[in-house]
Amino acid sequence: MAYLTQPDYVKYICSCGQLKPITSLYFCRHCLKIRCGFCICHEVDSHYCANCLENMPSSEARLKKNRCSSCFDCPSCFHTLSTRATTQQRQVLQDPAAGGDTKVESKQPKKMYYLSCFNCRWTSRDVGIPDQPVASGGWPERTNPHAARVNQLIDYYKAIAQQEKQEKIERERKKFNIRGKYITLTDKTGLTGAMARNIAGLPSSESSSSAIANFVPSVATAEVDELPEDIFTKEVNLNQITSMPQRLASPDWQPVSVSRLHPLAKLLSVKRSQRCRACDHNLTKPEYNPGSIKFKIELLAYYHVPEVKIISHEPVKPGEKTALFLKLTNPTGHEMQLRLLQPEDIPPPEEKEEPKSIDKSLERSLVLEKDTTAFKAIERQPNISATSRVTSPGVTLTLAQRDDAAEYDDDAQHDTNDIILWRKSNKLGVRLELDTSAEAVGGSPARALVALQYSYRNTVPPAPSAAACRDHTLYTTLLLDLGTVSSN
Amino acid sequence: MALYEGIALIQEKQAVVLDLGTDYTKFGFTGEAAPRCIVRSEFWSAAERRVRRLHDYATPDELYDNLVHMLHLLYFRHVLVNPKERKVVVVESLLTPTLFRETLAKVLFTHYEVSGVIWADSPRLCALTLGTPAALVINIGAKEAEVAAVVHSCVVLQALVAQPLGAHAVHAELARLLDEDNGATLDLPDDVIEDIKVKTCFVSPLERALQWGSESPPRAARSVRYSCGARGSVTVTGRARELAAEPLFARDHELASLPDAVLQSLARCPRDARRALAANVVLAGGGAALPGLRARLAAELRRLRAQPPYAERLHVDEFRFHEPPGHGNALAWLGGAVLGASDAGAARALAREQYAREPRLRDWVCLLDNTPPHHPHRAYLDI
């Protein structure tokens, strides 16, 4: 996988104007456009623990604050903690009255478990957490020391908001004081008023006022805690003081001393599904099983757009024509017609005239909510400043469909002409000419711009209303990174 | 369980609270007592193959990209929720650049399609965590220390004082002292400096600080050998440990130290609120967590109060300090969580539809927003 470690020499221009390598692009089969991580909509699909690969429904994940209940991270070095077992001789209760049976049972050593880090040797015993009788779970849970006070504050402000709302309603009512001719019974007795309040789901007025009345604002003190006396004389043990990452790993407590560190319940991970912003179709959808790395839907550009790789090139010189060798690959299962163009030659995307039928307009009005303005806002003009142009050979190249069996054929066919170097199943080596502008300064990055026109067969079963148009001619623009312009 | 699910369906999704600080970002849910994560405000940029800081930007487009990447990291790596159709409480400083606010709004509304954003300023949120009618909020952030007076949930804008006396000032001084004591230009990375500060530094009391300035310096605290891996080890002398935070209290003719900023802010407040404010001081921000800082600030305030130019202007007799219900570095965040949980906050949200109609944010510096309704100029503004 050279893609992971090498710089991206060939970049495609996404429909939103971003420059990305083909491995990080998607291809929407419904819009027939290249999309990238920037212009698609990401969604959380499912939660799972990356350590135990246990799935967790999202409602449960919400309750558990997105933490796994059985896996823990080391609070000291953030490595995963392992559960260790020890045997502990249970205190044998000398009970003469008890029978032999119970005695045998109580003599059995009991297994106790603690957590230990194999990386930094931190154990849960270091900080005085008692060993647990069960292997997983049951570890003491801590609550935020300020939780009660925060809840008080929230109740207080909720009550105030409630009161404000009430007062507003009162004012409104005073303004239009139109009383009915008949004083109904409900108005006279307070009892039903409370009932109406109950039905409306509003808390009764007494409780809100009591929350306000019982609230005690924070009390300020004139005394501030001074530095401990021994700070000037005590030796500092750096191993006993936590670092910033250790503190921030548990935002609720932020322990200062190492002895207050507690195991961190492992944060869950999510599988994401991706959706095209323009047409709302899924681009990728992972399988539900956390152990599986496969996708249910996987519309990656790598499987749909012809791939271009640089084989080699002559040094780029200003004002000269140099040779460039490229490899073109057809990843699709259909034969592909390919032409190299200048980026200006790409026809502007024509606005499709919608057939004006009642059905269509109705459909339009239904999907009115989802407008494409958001997508338009994300689009931006790509920043392409290329020093060179690839001269278009003006011939149409034909690439065979991908054939997995043909991968094992070694001999490349040499039906060479002045453009095609070699041909091997769905791959093609081409020799092209690179035209560099005379203004290019030596030492500046050499980049070449080339546009591709390729035929694409859409395999999506067409909607009954749409025309059965399966073959499309699509365009994409690429930016090739050819090192630097040579200075002489 | 089934009932709970039902309620969750009817209820609006729990909003998230976002505090994008210069150094650390706090992110979590409303109604909770602490953020879910406090992470450095930086992300891995695949295109450049390096870690990028959120606040490093030259152009608006760059800032937009930074925000998109940072929020993606926060939503899908740390908090694990869909950003779509969920409200956000944004905790911001009153001095946040307009470009930053507007770009953040654009990212949230168009890129992440959130349903509404509640813009809340940090002094008011810090005061919210106390529940007192008046509070003097001293927020020591990464870059700046801001002093703001909040009276009945209103920031006294003319009393807003900010000085570049944040954690970075302490870091710079510590780096200088370390270089001096080790006799070499160490050029330690920021995170090492921060680690040294967090583990060893403290703020010395007033008497000792005065002694350091005189001819007979006090006996320094113990020095520490700090090992920084392959670089060998660095000696952190007692002097460096003690004096690293002195820039916050260094006074010159400009009167730009932290206690001066507090007193100046008080002096600009309405006369009848000053005593109440001085009796309700709260320290917030990560920079306020240095041991001894509160004590030193209290001592400095009490000393300077009796000196010119404050003695004859500021008739304040007592400074009282609050113990807020949360850690200083996430106090403004906590205020946001409290605000977002009550209905009052949710009602003040800028809805997505509203933003789509008119992409404009309310801002306290804008005349459209701060001209009172009966002001003679108001007529020119409402067009």
Side-chain angles (χ1 to χ4, degrees):
Chain A
M1 284 295 282
Y3 291 117
L4 284 179
T5 51
Q6 280 183 358
D8 307 312
Y9 292 112
V10 180
K11 283 184 184 159
Y12 288 66
I13 295 176
C14 171
S15 58
C16 69
Q18 296 269 323
L19 286 164
K20 294 263 168 85
I22 193 169
T23 43
S24 49
L25 288 172
Y26 306 86
F27 182 81
C28 180
R29 283 203 296 187
H30 306 274
C31 314
L32 296 172
K33 280 199 175 115
I34 295 179
R35 305 273 183 228
C36 69
F38 193 78
C39 59
I40 56 177
C41 191
H42 300 256
E43 281 166 14
V44 171
D45 207 55
S46 60
H47 295 75
Y48 69 97
C49 171
N51 189 43
C52 59
L53 291 180
E54 199 71 45
N55 234 328
M56 200 184 266
S58 62
S59 55
E60 196 186 341
R62 191 170 57 228
L63 275 181
K64 290 188 173 164
K65 296 196 162 193
N66 291 336
R67 304 256 169 200
C68 180
S69 47
S70 50
C71 304
F72 291 93
D73 275 341
C74 174
S76 181
C77 68
F78 311 123
H79 193 260
T80 308
L81 288 177
S82 319
T83 310
R84 312 290 328 265
T86 51
T87 48
Q88 191 187 51
Q89 204 67 48
R90 206 192 282 170
Q91 295 277 314
V92 181
L93 290 166
Q94 287 299 326
D95 194 358
D101 243 20
T102 51
K103 227 175 190 179
V104 170
E105 206 176 356
S106 64
K107 257 192 186 161
Q108 263 180 356
K110 197 189 166 203
K111 278 218 164 141
M112 295 297 271
Y113 298 91
Y114 66 97
L115 296 168
S116 158
C117 175
F118 286 172
N119 185 34
C120 70
R121 298 278 155 200
W122 182 90
T123 66
S124 61
R125 292 171 164 185
D126 291 357
V127 293
I129 300 172
D131 291 359
Q132 293 296 312
V134 282
S136 65
W139 295 99
E141 277 178 29
R142 295 181 301 164
T143 50
N144 189 311
H146 301 294
R149 174 69 185 167
V150 171
N151 284 336
Q152 249 178 45
L153 282 168
I154 290 172
D155 287 345
Y156 173 60
Y157 290 116
K158 269 187 182 159
I160 286 185
Q162 192 65 48
Q163 207 178 37
E164 269 178 12
K165 212 189 258 172
Q166 207 70 44
E167 276 166 14
K168 207 172 163 190
I169 292 168
E170 292 287 310
R171 261 207 311 275
E172 292 285 301
R173 201 192 289 164
K174 287 241 174 72
K175 240 185 244 169
F176 311 100
N177 202 353
I178 309 156
R179 298 212 83 175
K181 259 186 192 166
Y182 310 102
I183 299 165
T184 53
L185 226 83
T186 48
D187 273 358
K188 271 201 162 173
T189 55
L191 179 98
T192 40
M195 244 161 84
R197 196 176 276 282
N198 233 344
I199 290 160
L202 301 168
S204 61
S205 55
E206 282 112 66
S207 80
S208 76
S209 62
S210 77
I212 295 172
N214 292 343
F215 179 76
V216 188
S218 171
V219 181
T221 52
E223 290 94 50
V224 280
D225 31 350
E226 298 284 335
L227 280 172
E229 274 304 306
D230 59 351
I231 196 158
F232 304 111
T233 50
K234 204 170 74 178
E235 195 80 48
V236 178
N237 187 354
L238 289 180
N239 297 330
Q240 286 302 313
I241 307 168
T242 52
S243 67
M244 239 15 223
Q246 286 169 354
R247 289 180 199 190
L248 299 182
S250 50
D252 292 63
W253 300 278
Q254 303 190 18
V256 173
S257 136
V258 166
S259 60
R260 306 296 297 275
L261 289 175
H262 268 66
L264 308 165
K266 188 136 192 128
L267 188 68
L268 298 179
S269 305
V270 286
K271 286 197 165 198
R272 271 178 297 141
S273 62
Q274 276 132 342
R275 206 177 270 283
C276 175
R277 266 181 214 265
C279 67
D280 261 359
H281 282 97
N282 263 328
L283 291 175
T284 66
K285 192 162 179 59
E287 278 187 4
Y288 189 63
N289 176 15
S292 162
I293 56 163
K294 287 181 184 155
F295 291 86
K296 282 190 238 166
I297 302 170
E298 192 180 28
L299 297 176
L300 306 182
Y302 188 71
Y303 298 133
H304 297 277
V305 178
E307 194 196 352
V308 176
K309 279 185 176 181
I310 303 170
I311 300 172
S312 68
H313 61 90
E314 286 180 352
V316 180
K317 287 175 184 159
E320 284 184 34
K321 293 197 168 185
T322 48
L324 168 73
F325 303 95
L326 293 181
K327 184 170 105 175
L328 308 172
T329 313
N330 171 16
T332 60
H334 305 279
E335 204 173 76
M336 186 178 268
Q337 308 290 326
L338 209 119
R339 274 171 78 89
L340 289 158
L341 303 174
Q342 296 301 320
E344 298 85 27
D345 298 343
I346 294 181
E350 72 242 48
E351 291 302 315
K352 268 184 216 140
E353 200 58 48
E354 296 268 335
K356 283 201 172 64
S357 68
I358 300 165
D359 266 18
K360 260 294 190 263
S361 60
L362 197 73
E363 205 174 296
R364 267 283 178 86
S365 65
L366 281 174
V367 293
L368 201 73
E369 298 257 325
K370 184 196 72 59
D371 52 353
T372 48
T373 49
F375 182 74
K376 285 275 183 297
I378 290 165
E379 268 181 275
R380 58 175 79 155
Q381 275 305 310
N383 165 34
I384 35 173
S385 53
T387 53
S388 319
R389 283 296 170 89
V390 176
T391 43
S392 356
V395 289
T396 304
L397 307 163
T398 307
L399 264 81
Q401 71 267 36
R402 200 180 67 138
D403 182 7
D404 289 334
E407 297 284 315
Y408 303 105
D409 293 346
D410 276 338
D411 48 325
Q413 298 160 13
H414 290 269
D415 62 332
T416 50
N417 53 28
D418 55 339
I419 292 166
I420 298 171
L421 282 176
W422 46 261
R423 193 185 270 282
K424 189 181 156 188
S425 73
N426 62 338
K427 297 179 198 72
L428 193 67
V430 288
R431 180 213 307 267
L432 295 166
E433 214 165 51
L434 200 65
D435 198 357
T436 311
S437 71
E439 286 100 71
V441 189
S444 62
R447 290 196 278 180
L449 207 56
V450 65
L452 281 183
Q453 180 197 54
Y454 58 97
S455 63
Y456 177 77
R457 174 163 291 183
N458 199 358
T459 49
V460 179
S465 59
C469 174
R470 294 179 66 208
D471 291 300
H472 303 272
T473 308
L474 304 177
Y475 299 89
T476 179
T477 315
L478 291 87
L479 196 64
L480 311 175
D481 185 358
L482 304 171
T484 53
V485 178
S486 68
S487 43
N488 49 355
Chain B
M1 198 63 206
L3 179 72
Y4 182 85
E5 275 295 295
I7 291 166
L9 278 176
I10 299 160
Q11 269 180 348
E12 205 177 338
K13 285 178 190 165
Q14 200 178 6
V16 286
V17 186
L18 171 69
D19 183 355
L20 291 165
T22 311
D23 271 0
Y24 288 100
T25 290
K26 284 72 74 177
F27 196 54
F29 288 108
T30 55
E32 290 183 1
R36 285 291 176 86
C37 67
I38 305 179
V39 290
R40 291 199 73 90
S41 304
E42 55 194 23
F43 57 90
W44 172 256
S45 164
E48 291 169 67
R49 291 173 187 266
R50 69 180 177 97
V51 174
R52 262 190 85 107
R53 286 172 60 90
L54 172 69
H55 290 266
D56 277 352
Y57 58 89
T59 60
D61 274 355
E62 228 172 280
L63 174 62
Y64 188 93
D65 289 2
N66 283 1
L67 285 168
V68 166
H69 284 119
M70 188 73 210
L71 287 174
H72 185 90
L73 191 73
L74 291 171
Y75 272 116
F76 296 107
R77 284 271 179 272
H78 294 290
V79 171
L80 316 180
V81 288
N82 275 332
K84 225 174 168 179
E85 308 305 324
R86 194 182 279 277
K87 279 205 175 84
V88 183
V89 182
V90 174
V91 180
E92 54 170 6
S93 158
L94 280 171
L95 304 173
T96 308
T98 309
L99 174 68
F100 190 86
R101 294 184 80 208
E102 287 180 350
T103 314
L104 180 60
K106 203 170 144 197
V107 169
L108 285 172
F109 282 119
T110 64
H111 208 108
Y112 287 102
E113 302 180 24
V114 301
S115 61
V117 179
I118 303 160
W119 302 91
D121 53 89
S122 64
R124 244 190 301 194
L125 294 180
C126 290
L128 211 61
T129 61
L130 304 176
T132 53
L136 188 67
V137 182
I138 305 167
N139 200 336
I140 306 177
K143 267 193 182 152
E144 284 188 329
E146 279 176 34
V147 185
V150 183
V151 183
H152 288 288
S153 289
C154 280
V155 183
V156 184
L157 286 170
Q158 76 265 26
L160 182 67
V161 179
Q163 293 289 354
L165 300 172
H168 289 183
V170 179
H171 290 185
E173 175 72 0
L174 180 61
R176 193 187 67 78
L177 286 167
L178 287 176
D179 284 359
E180 210 173 280
D181 291 342
N182 287 279
T185 313
L186 294 165
D187 211 17
L188 295 168
D190 272 350
D191 57 326
V192 174
I193 292 279
E194 188 190 34
D195 196 42
I196 295 176
K197 178 190 83 170
V198 163
K199 285 185 173 171
T200 65
C201 292
F202 59 91
V203 186
S204 58
L206 183 56
E207 313 84 63
R208 267 178 78 93
L210 292 175
Q211 275 178 41
W212 277 106
S214 67
E215 282 94 57
S216 57
R219 201 159 153 256
R222 295 288 186 90
S223 59
V224 183
R225 292 294 292 170
Y226 181 90
S227 84
C228 21
R231 288 164 174 271
S233 63
V234 175
T235 309
V236 186
T237 58
R239 192 176 75 101
R241 289 177 58 197
E242 220 173 315
L243 297 185
E246 280 315 299
L248 304 190
F249 302 99
R251 296 189 85 208
D252 54 12
H253 292 299
E254 289 196 0
L255 301 180
S257 73
L258 183 60
D260 279 307
V262 176
L263 293 171
Q264 280 158 14
S265 172
L266 267 183
R268 290 189 207 166
C269 281
R271 213 168 277 249
D272 49 354
R274 282 183 203 163
R275 283 196 180 178
L277 286 168
N280 290 288
V281 181
V282 62
L283 272 163
L290 266 178
L293 189 127
R294 235 149 67 108
R296 173 70 184 278
L297 185 65
E300 291 268 4
L301 287 176
R302 282 169 195 145
R303 182 175 69 113
L304 293 179
R305 183 191 65 197
Q307 286 181 10
Y310 307 114
E312 64 268 25
R313 295 180 56 198
L314 209 65
H315 299 285
V316 167
D317 23 67
E318 196 178 25
F319 287 96
R320 286 169 170 272
F321 289 81
H322 276 283
E323 198 67 60
H327 289 274
N329 54 1
L331 193 63
W333 182 94
L334 178 64
V338 171
L339 176 76
S342 70
D343 310 335
R348 283 169 177 80
L350 171 65
R352 181 151 177 252
E353 296 78 48
Q354 202 182 334
Y355 181 81
R357 269 203 305 279
E358 194 192 6
R360 185 184 158 274
L361 302 182
R362 289 177 69 85
D363 200 354
W364 62 270
V365 285
C366 183
L367 283 175
L368 280 173
D369 301 320
N370 62 16
T371 313
H374 304 298
H375 195 275
H377 288 170
R378 186 76 237 183
Y380 300 108
L381 296 169
D382 295 324
I383 303 164

